[in-house]
Amino acid sequence: MADTDLVVPAGWEPGKGTSASMSKQFTFDRYGITRKFLDHVAELSEQDGYHPNISFGTTYVNITIDARDGEQLGEGDKAFALEVDRLADATTG
Amino acid sequence: MADTDLVVPAGWEPGKGTSASMSKQFTFDRYGITRKFLDHVAELSEQDGYHPNISFGTTYVNITIDARDGEQLGEGDKAFALEVDRLADATTG
């Protein structure tokens, strides 16, 4: 069983009262960049077969990753989070 | 000044304690349809220059439309909501 601290990357916030999810907010300068990021996350989701919960507006995206096993975040969830971080870094106007 | 009842189409829920927003949840059978609907809403947003707040997961999309004037929903917001409804009806697998 994984320790939550080990599988929640820096900048991600564990779900309150549970170790079964983690969230992070990403902000962008304008909608065009926000949409590009959303498209990249959608591609990642399709490759990975995992779909996080996503909230977004013009210049922000909140991503919540639920534990794939329904109980506790694990290495697969961490890898997904890190890949989302990488996509955010790589997404520019 | 428009009456909120007149500008919130059937199925949309006015924001609690305010007449400055309205929300609706759409559900779909699978992610492919959800994504197609999201893409259509994104196109509508770009045409219209208005970006609602959107939350989604594999098979659901929640859309919140804030009053464009920041104070009260109006005809422009209603037209956007009706167009979103039309896109949902038109989006199939």
Side-chain angles (χ1 to χ4, degrees), chain B residues 14-85:
Chain B
K16 285 182 178 60
T18 169
S19 56
S21 73
M22 58 179 157
S23 301
K24 186 170 178 178
Q25 175 156 295
F26 300 88
T27 56
F28 302 98
D29 287 342
R30 55 189 172 75
Y31 174 73
I33 310 175
T34 301
R35 180 155 189 208
K36 201 181 284 188
F37 175 63
L38 286 166
D39 285 345
H40 290 161
V41 173
E43 284 162 26
L44 170 64
S45 294
E46 283 170 35
Q47 283 164 23
D48 212 47
Y50 172 75
H51 300 281
N53 291 290
I54 298 179
S55 299
F56 69 96
T58 314
T59 56
Y60 75 90
V61 179
N62 286 314
I63 296 190
T64 299
I65 295 173
D66 292 316
R68 284 161 206 236
D69 69 4
E71 295 191 353
Q72 192 149 22
L73 293 167
E75 289 300 328
D77 305 305
K78 180 182 182 177
F80 190 93
L82 289 172
E83 188 62 15
V84 168
D85 281 339

Side-chain angles (χ1 to χ4, degrees), chain A residues 35-45 87 90-91, chain B residues 35:
Chain A
R35 180 152 190 212
K36 202 181 284 187
F37 175 63
L38 286 166
D39 285 344
H40 290 162
V41 173
E43 284 162 26
L44 170 64
S45 293
L87 291 173
T91 304
Chain B
R35 180 155 189 208

